[in-house]
Amino acid sequence: MEIFWRIFDTLILAGGFVYIFIRYGIPFFDNRKKGIELSLKKAAEYEKEAEKLYEQAMDVLKEVKSEVENIKKEALKETETERNNIIKDAETAAEKISGNYINQAKSEIDKQKKQLFDEALNMSFKFMQDIMQREMTSEVYGKINDSFLKLQEEAFDRRSNK
């Protein structure tokens, strides 16, 4: 009989476990299953949205890269243009400076030429004066005056004949 009661107790315990499992376990696992399925559906939706966002982001990234390349090309063109303008300005300034220096050099050379010419002329007059004072006698002065007067008379005669 004791075995009977032990089997009976075990069956009641097992029946209680089955009742608790049926009453609380099955709905719990069903709700858990539904929650997991719902989470999986939401995860699939989120994944699709994430893929769409990723594709949009990649499109935007392509556009941004394209725009960056265009900006880079435009900046290079502007830089090249600015470099050319700077070179032209520098060449123009160099030509002006060179022209100014050439004009100053020519002016200084002309000034030095005139000064040298004036000095040479003054020296030649001085040498001629020294030579004339040394070499000229009263006879030579007389001959020079006679020749000068003769030339003047001839010049007057020519004028009066015209």
Side-chain angles (χ1 to χ4, degrees):
M1 204 68 213
E2 216 175 284
I3 287 186
F4 172 75
W5 287 113
R6 278 189 182 211
I7 292 175
F8 182 71
D9 285 340
T10 306
L11 286 175
I12 289 178
L13 184 64
F17 280 139
V18 169
Y19 175 76
I20 291 173
F21 180 75
I22 291 173
R23 173 87 173 142
Y24 297 106
I26 291 177
F28 171 77
F29 286 115
D30 283 343
N31 286 337
R32 182 72 182 135
K33 181 181 174 185
K34 288 178 184 175
I36 290 172
E37 288 173 352
L38 183 63
S39 294
L40 287 174
K41 286 181 184 177
K42 285 183 180 180
E45 289 175 9
Y46 290 149
E47 184 179 12
K48 288 179 184 177
E49 288 180 24
E51 286 177 4
K52 288 179 184 177
L53 288 174
Y54 177 76
E55 289 175 7
Q56 289 175 352
M58 291 306 288
D59 291 341
V60 169
L61 182 63
K62 286 178 185 177
E63 290 175 10
V64 168
K65 283 183 180 180
S66 174
E67 190 172 329
V68 166
E69 284 298 319
N70 290 339
I71 291 171
K72 186 178 176 182
K73 287 176 184 177
E74 188 174 317
L76 287 173
K77 286 179 185 176
E78 289 177 9
T79 303
E80 184 68 23
T81 303
E82 188 64 28
R83 183 181 72 88
N84 290 338
N85 288 340
I86 289 171
I87 289 172
K88 286 179 185 176
D89 291 345
E91 288 173 349
T92 303
E95 287 176 13
K96 285 181 182 177
I97 291 170
S98 175
N100 288 340
Y101 283 129
I102 288 171
N103 289 338
Q104 286 178 351
K106 285 180 180 178
S107 173
E108 188 63 29
I109 289 171
D110 291 342
K111 182 180 171 184
Q112 293 297 324
K113 281 181 182 178
K114 186 175 182 330
Q115 223 174 15
L116 286 173
F117 180 75
D118 288 345
E119 286 178 17
L121 194 60
N122 286 337
M123 284 180 140
S124 66
F125 283 134
K126 185 178 179 187
F127 286 135
M128 281 304 294
Q129 188 178 16
D130 290 344
I131 290 171
M132 285 178 68
Q133 285 177 356
R134 257 186 296 144
E135 299 290 326
M136 296 282 268
T137 60
S138 57
E139 288 178 17
V140 173
Y141 275 125
K143 286 181 183 177
I144 290 174
N145 282 335
D146 289 339
S147 295
F148 181 71
L149 289 173
K150 194 179 207 182
L151 287 172
Q152 278 186 337
E153 286 176 7
E154 289 175 5
F156 285 132
D157 287 339
R158 274 189 243 141
R159 269 195 172 178
S160 59
N161 288 337
K162 286 185 178 182

